[in-house]
Amino acid sequence: MKLTQIIKASVIPILTVFSLLLTSNAALADYLIGEGSGGNYRYELWSDDNNNYYLKIWTREASENSDRYTITTGFASSRDALIHFDCNYAGKSLPECPR
């Protein structure tokens, strides 16, 4: 076997594995769904696979690039996440808020 054939035979499987690894990492990306604010806080609503939602919450004074934020636990819907923000951070008294 020639050296070029050996190189071709080994490069293709290596590139295939590399591309599969890159694709699987891209599939695990989180998606920014929305942003908003209320009270003294602002939030970003994120989804990891459209089944799990979470909030990143900053104080209103924090800069856009600040790493001083709180991440909430997962919610089953974006509605549940926003109700959590409104009740616990924005100071709203909604019927859904715990008493």
Side-chain angles (χ1 to χ4, degrees):
M1 212 184 237
K2 292 182 181 180
L3 181 60
T4 56
Q5 289 176 327
I6 293 172
I7 291 173
K8 285 181 183 178
S10 62
V11 168
I12 292 173
I14 290 171
L15 290 176
T16 302
V17 168
F18 186 68
S19 67
L20 288 173
L21 290 174
L22 288 177
T23 304
S24 66
N25 284 340
L28 297 176
D30 290 354
Y31 302 98
L32 179 62
I33 304 298
E35 302 173 87
S37 62
N40 294 323
Y41 299 92
R42 58 188 173 81
Y43 69 86
E44 290 179 350
L45 175 62
W46 290 81
S47 176
D48 59 0
D49 62 5
N50 290 332
N51 290 325
N52 296 304
Y53 296 86
Y54 63 94
L55 294 166
K56 289 184 180 180
I57 302 171
W58 291 264
T59 61
R60 195 178 284 270
E61 297 84 28
S63 71
E64 291 292 325
N65 298 325
S66 174
D67 61 352
R68 299 193 60 172
Y69 56 84
T70 301
I71 298 180
T72 62
T73 56
F75 297 96
S77 70
S78 59
R79 181 179 185 277
D80 290 344
L82 295 177
I83 288 172
H84 174 81
F85 179 83
D86 286 342
C87 294
N88 296 294
Y89 293 91
K92 294 183 180 178
S93 58
L94 304 174
E96 295 89 345
C97 294
R99 307 258 175 220

